[in-house]
Amino acid sequence: MSEQALKQQIQNLKKHNARLARLARDARSKLSAALDGTGLCLWQLDIPSGKLIIYNRRWGSMLGYQPKELNAQFDVWREHLHPDDRQMVLDAFYDHLNGKTPFYEALHRMQHKNGTISWVLDRGRVSEWDEHGNPLRVTGTHIDMTKEKQYEEQLALLANHDPLTGLANRHALVKHFAQLKDQGPLCVAFIDLDDFKSVNDTFGHRSGDELLIQLSKRLGETCPEGSIVGRLGGDEFVLLLPFTLSSLWVNSTAHKCLQAALTPFELDNGQARVGASIGIDEVQPEDDFINALRRADQSMYQIKHTGKNGVAIGSTLISISRTGTDA
């Protein structure tokens, strides 16, 4: 081959190599854009050196770090695992390296630079072995699941809490009822506000909602530890009190709750007053939540029929308070 022909062949090879390099860069750019659009990060770990190669996102960006602020190393990743999840994640990783599982997968928390928590779904698989069958490289993906976990928490909150007051809703009250009933004595208190409609008519529904929010806080501060405060809807509240009907805790809690309702409420457009009719009954062995609540409701209606703003414990009218003090 002549020297001229050899030079021409070298030149052709350089052009071909440059073309392949452009294609590789273009492919990597498209892959990076596609993966970044899904929040998916492609990584590879060199096991002997502990070096991490992040293909489409800068290492640490998910945790709030600037480029080069964190080294892409296995030890650095391990240090940023949440302490409560660290052992679980490492066990899953090494189980795969040791051949106990076909792949590595872990949904876990990592510590963000600002002190918050990031959730990550991490997956990987050994992609290269040495001549002795020992794993050399692991290739995998991780995806930021923080928003998804926050959404799950919001759904769980909505499933078990009243959206206006944050108190336990009916669904949650049923679950708490079953748990507390198994643990010992239990009373159910039914609270129905008196004259609440006039607040909505006079001040408006937004102010009515604010009154309910304020009352919810008062009830939560009034009830003893271990009690559950819930809202059925409207102006109806329920207390689960883990005491016998004859307990002084039941009597004092009921009267404190009555006083919480009778104390005026400072709203944006004025001062509002309501009252409360409270009925309490003790849960029997055969009771479910509906039956126990029905008897507490019946006790409450004793107060409604005798002037409102009072407390009835069981079938006995204990007290009526029209001015905020026991009659």
Side-chain angles (χ1 to χ4, degrees):
M1 179 182 295
S2 67
E3 183 178 351
Q4 184 64 29
L6 182 59
K7 288 181 179 180
Q8 183 61 47
Q9 188 173 10
I10 292 174
Q11 186 66 26
N12 291 339
L13 288 173
K14 286 182 178 180
K15 290 181 179 180
H16 184 64
N17 186 61
R19 178 176 174 273
L20 291 177
R22 287 195 302 272
L23 289 173
R25 285 195 301 270
D26 184 58
R28 176 171 289 187
S29 176
K30 290 179 179 179
L31 175 63
S32 177
L35 292 175
D36 284 345
T38 63
L40 195 67
C41 176
L42 182 64
W43 56 265
Q44 187 175 81
L45 171 66
D46 181 77
I47 297 173
S49 67
K51 181 176 177 56
L52 275 168
I53 300 173
I54 310 297
Y55 285 101
N56 63 301
R57 295 180 68 185
R58 292 188 183 276
W59 172 249
S61 63
M62 186 187 66
L63 303 180
Y65 291 91
Q66 296 298 317
K68 298 183 180 179
E69 192 175 355
L70 279 182
N71 291 325
Q73 290 285 332
F74 180 81
D75 289 344
V76 176
W77 167 78
R78 180 174 56 193
E79 289 172 4
H80 284 80
L81 293 172
H82 191 281
D84 294 341
D85 294 348
R86 184 175 295 132
Q87 195 57 53
M88 176 272 293
V89 175
L90 294 175
D91 286 347
F93 182 76
Y94 286 113
D95 279 350
H96 175 57
L97 292 192
N98 295 327
K100 296 181 180 179
T101 57
F103 54 86
Y104 154 67
E105 180 175 273
L107 176 62
H108 62 89
R109 292 164 290 179
M110 296 194 74
Q111 295 173 306
H112 197 280
K113 182 181 179 180
N114 63 12
T116 60
I117 298 299
S118 293
W119 281 90
V120 176
L121 177 59
D122 220 357
R123 293 190 178 103
R125 187 178 302 217
V126 175
S127 55
E128 187 176 342
W129 293 261
D130 64 16
E131 63 273 15
H132 303 294
N134 299 314
L136 281 179
R137 289 183 178 81
V138 181
T139 303
T141 61
H142 71 226
I143 185 168
D144 190 345
M145 298 292 290
T146 305
K147 290 183 179 179
E148 285 76 6
K149 292 297 292 186
Q150 291 172 344
Y151 182 61
E152 287 180 12
E153 292 171 359
Q154 290 172 357
L155 287 179
L157 186 66
L158 290 174
N160 293 287
H161 293 81
D162 173 58
L164 176 65
T165 64
L167 297 179
N169 61 14
R170 179 183 287 269
H171 177 71
L173 284 169
V174 171
K175 293 195 297 184
H176 287 303
F177 175 88
Q179 294 168 355
L180 291 173
K181 182 183 175 185
D182 288 341
Q183 294 172 9
L186 178 62
C187 286
V188 174
F190 190 102
I191 303 175
D192 185 79
L193 297 188
D194 297 323
D195 304 317
F196 179 68
K197 182 178 182 300
S198 65
V199 174
N200 282 331
D201 293 342
T202 303
F203 297 95
H205 288 277
R206 181 172 296 181
S207 293
D209 287 347
E210 176 58 30
L211 186 150
L212 294 175
I213 293 171
Q214 289 187 28
L215 177 61
S216 298
K217 293 178 180 178
R218 293 181 186 181
L219 294 177
E221 294 168 354
T222 296
C223 290
E225 185 177 353
S227 303
I228 301 296
V229 184
R231 178 180 177 233
L232 293 180
D235 60 351
E236 297 179 340
F237 295 82
V238 171
L239 310 180
L240 301 180
L241 305 172
F243 311 103
T244 61
L245 194 64
S246 59
S247 169
L248 292 177
W249 279 110
V250 170
N251 191 295
S252 64
T253 299
H255 286 81
K256 288 178 181 178
C257 288
L258 177 59
Q259 190 61 48
L262 288 168
T263 301
F265 294 86
E266 299 296 335
L267 306 176
D268 290 340
N269 51 351
Q271 186 184 81
R273 293 176 177 271
V274 294
S277 298
I278 303 175
I280 306 176
D281 211 333
E282 187 165 1
V283 175
Q284 302 302 313
E286 67 276 10
D287 279 341
D288 59 13
F289 176 74
I290 299 300
N291 291 333
L293 183 65
R294 183 181 296 116
R295 288 206 313 279
D297 182 45
Q298 290 169 353
S299 295
M300 182 272 295
Y301 267 101
Q302 293 183 77
I303 300 298
K304 291 288 189 186
H305 294 154
T306 52
K308 302 180 180 180
N309 293 335
V311 177
I313 297 181
S315 58
T316 304
L317 183 63
I318 301 299
S319 65
I320 297 177
S321 177
R322 304 183 196 280
T323 61
T325 57
D326 292 348

